[in-house]
Amino acid sequence: MTRIDAHVGAKIKARRASLEMSPPALARSLSITVADLGLYERGERRVCVSLLFEIANVLDVEIAYFFHDMRYTSELRFTPCHDRGLYLVH
Protein backbone atom coordinates (compact mmCIF):
# COMPACT_ATOMS: atom_id res chain seq x y z
CA MET A 1 0.00 0.00 0.00
CA THR A 2 1.26 3.47 -0.85
CA ARG A 3 0.21 6.78 0.64
CA ILE A 4 -1.53 7.55 -2.64
CA ASP A 5 -3.55 4.30 -2.49
CA ALA A 6 -4.54 5.13 1.10
CA HIS A 7 -5.49 8.69 0.11
CA VAL A 8 -7.64 7.59 -2.85
CA GLY A 9 -9.29 4.91 -0.71
CA ALA A 10 -10.10 7.42 2.01
CA LYS A 11 -11.63 9.76 -0.58
CA ILE A 12 -13.80 6.93 -1.93
CA LYS A 13 -15.00 6.11 1.57
CA ALA A 14 -15.62 9.76 2.47
CA ARG A 15 -17.65 10.44 -0.67
CA ARG A 16 -19.66 7.23 -0.24
CA ALA A 17 -20.41 8.22 3.36
CA SER A 18 -21.37 11.77 2.38
CA LEU A 19 -23.95 10.30 0.01
CA GLU A 20 -25.18 8.00 2.81
CA MET A 21 -24.46 5.04 0.55
CA SER A 22 -23.75 1.72 2.23
CA PRO A 23 -20.71 -0.36 1.29
CA PRO A 24 -22.97 -3.12 -0.13
CA ALA A 25 -24.81 -0.59 -2.31
CA LEU A 26 -21.59 0.81 -3.79
CA ALA A 27 -20.09 -2.65 -4.24
CA ARG A 28 -23.24 -3.81 -6.05
CA SER A 29 -23.12 -0.76 -8.35
CA LEU A 30 -19.53 -1.63 -9.25
CA SER A 31 -20.06 -5.40 -9.53
CA ILE A 32 -17.40 -6.06 -6.90
CA THR A 33 -17.59 -7.68 -3.48
CA VAL A 34 -17.97 -5.71 -0.26
CA ALA A 35 -14.66 -7.24 0.84
CA ASP A 36 -12.93 -5.86 -2.27
CA LEU A 37 -14.47 -2.44 -1.67
CA GLY A 38 -13.08 -2.52 1.86
CA LEU A 39 -9.61 -3.26 0.52
CA TYR A 40 -9.87 -0.28 -1.84
CA GLU A 41 -11.24 2.06 0.82
CA ARG A 42 -8.46 1.12 3.25
CA GLY A 43 -5.83 1.55 0.55
CA GLU A 44 -4.79 -2.09 0.82
CA ARG A 45 -5.44 -2.67 -2.87
CA ARG A 46 -4.70 -0.24 -5.70
CA VAL A 47 -7.73 0.95 -7.69
CA CYS A 48 -7.17 0.54 -11.43
CA VAL A 49 -8.02 3.48 -13.65
CA SER A 50 -11.08 1.90 -15.24
CA LEU A 51 -12.55 1.06 -11.83
CA LEU A 52 -11.74 4.53 -10.51
CA PHE A 53 -13.57 6.00 -13.50
CA GLU A 54 -16.58 3.82 -12.69
CA ILE A 55 -16.42 4.76 -8.99
CA ALA A 56 -16.32 8.45 -9.92
CA ASN A 57 -19.42 8.02 -12.08
CA VAL A 58 -21.35 6.16 -9.37
CA LEU A 59 -20.31 8.69 -6.71
CA ASP A 60 -21.04 11.60 -9.08
CA VAL A 61 -17.61 13.22 -8.89
CA GLU A 62 -14.85 14.01 -11.38
CA ILE A 63 -11.74 11.82 -11.33
CA ALA A 64 -9.83 14.85 -10.02
CA TYR A 65 -11.86 14.65 -6.79
CA PHE A 66 -9.68 11.76 -5.65
CA PHE A 67 -6.46 13.75 -6.19
CA HIS A 68 -7.29 17.46 -5.78
CA ASP A 69 -5.54 17.82 -2.42
CA MET A 70 -2.30 16.01 -3.30
CA ARG A 71 1.00 17.08 -4.81
CA TYR A 72 4.49 15.76 -5.45
CA THR A 73 7.62 17.30 -4.01
CA SER A 74 10.84 17.76 -5.95
CA GLU A 75 11.96 14.40 -4.52
CA LEU A 76 8.84 12.94 -6.18
CA ARG A 77 7.42 11.84 -2.86
CA PHE A 78 3.73 12.14 -2.18
CA THR A 79 2.79 14.90 0.22
CA PRO A 80 -0.73 16.09 1.00
CA CYS A 81 -1.42 19.78 0.49
CA HIS A 82 -4.37 22.07 0.92
CA ASP A 83 -4.48 23.61 -2.54
CA ARG A 84 -6.10 21.97 -5.57
CA GLY A 85 -4.47 20.00 -8.36
CA LEU A 86 -1.58 17.65 -8.89
CA TYR A 87 1.89 19.11 -9.03
CA LEU A 88 5.09 17.50 -10.18
CA VAL A 89 7.99 19.78 -9.35
CA HIS A 90 11.13 19.07 -11.39
Side-chain angles (χ1 to χ4, degrees):
M1 167 175 74
T2 68
R3 293 165 77 181
I4 295 171
D5 298 326
H7 181 85
V8 169
K11 297 290 281 190
I12 292 168
K13 185 175 184 176
R15 179 61 179 168
R16 177 184 55 72
S18 76
L19 295 174
E20 299 181 359
M21 181 183 287
S22 69
L26 179 55
R28 226 179 358 264
S29 297
L30 301 170
S31 299
I32 62 174
T33 67
V34 175
D36 285 338
L37 177 61
L39 292 171
Y40 294 129
E41 287 186 343
R42 291 188 303 275
E44 295 174 13
R45 181 180 291 165
R46 182 164 295 153
V47 181
C48 70
V49 173
S50 58
L51 180 58
L52 190 60
F53 183 82
E54 203 171 333
I55 291 169
N57 284 328
V58 171
L59 297 180
D60 196 29
V61 293
E62 299 289 328
I63 291 282
Y65 165 82
F66 301 105
F67 305 101
H68 77 273
D69 54 352
M70 294 174 20
R71 70 178 174 143
Y72 282 89
T73 65
S74 59
E75 294 85 26
L76 303 179
R77 289 180 293 127
F78 164 78
T79 56
C81 65
H82 298 290
D83 56 345
R84 296 184 182 256
L86 287 175
Y87 299 94
L88 183 60
V89 180
H90 299 283

